[in-house]
Amino acid sequence: QAHLVESGGGAVRAGGSLRLSCAASGGAGSSKAMGWFRRAPGKEREFVAAISFEDGSTVYLDSVKGRFAVSGDNAKNSVYLQMNNLRPEDTAVYYCNAGGVVIADTYYGMNEWGEGTLVTVSS
């Protein structure tokens, strides 16, 4: 099975920035794409962003467009998420995902998750 380790979370005030990192190893192998999901308290996990290593294209949740930027390093099986102008509603545990692919602007990935990294945004 894949081993996923997220880092970079923390507590910031609204308008602040954070950069998340994730390294994947094990069963996921070489990913065609990697992505990020998040789970806010009392809510379901939702897709946030993904990058395709096949063509470099990116996909974003509408509410984070223009604020978040996803990047990756296929050779390192790593994905990053630069988060700017954070809002309280961005508060969540953020999880990365590997072994994925982007097809027709939709990310498909493995149902395997790490511990996540907590992002707390205060007003």
Side-chain angles (χ1 to χ4, degrees):
Q1 66 182 51
H3 184 220
L4 303 161
V5 180
E6 301 96 339
S7 63
V12 299
R13 298 188 66 183
S17 298
L18 287 170
R19 180 176 171 83
L20 307 184
S21 299
C22 171
S25 62
S30 58
S31 301
K32 291 181 173 64
M34 294 182 70
W36 289 94
F37 291 71
R38 68 187 181 188
R39 190 171 204 156
K43 298 183 179 180
E44 298 295 318
R45 180 183 283 115
E46 68 176 347
F47 171 79
V48 177
I51 182 167
S52 171
F53 294 132
E54 296 185 291
D55 60 10
S57 63
T58 55
V59 186
Y60 295 96
L61 175 69
D62 283 346
S63 64
V64 310
K65 289 180 179 177
R67 300 189 298 119
F68 292 9
V70 63
S71 60
D73 186 334
N74 197 21
K76 295 181 179 179
N77 294 317
S78 297
V79 65
Y80 312 94
L81 188 67
Q82 179 66 46
M83 304 185 294
N84 299 321
N85 193 23
L86 283 160
R87 304 168 179 169
E89 52 263 43
D90 294 318
T91 295
V93 177
Y94 284 71
Y95 303 88
C96 72
N97 190 264
V101 61
V102 173
I103 302 174
D105 295 325
T106 301
Y107 176 80
Y108 301 86
M110 302 284 287
N111 190 26
E112 297 179 347
W113 310 95
E115 296 296 318
T117 186
L118 177 63
V119 171
T120 302
V121 185
S122 62
S123 60

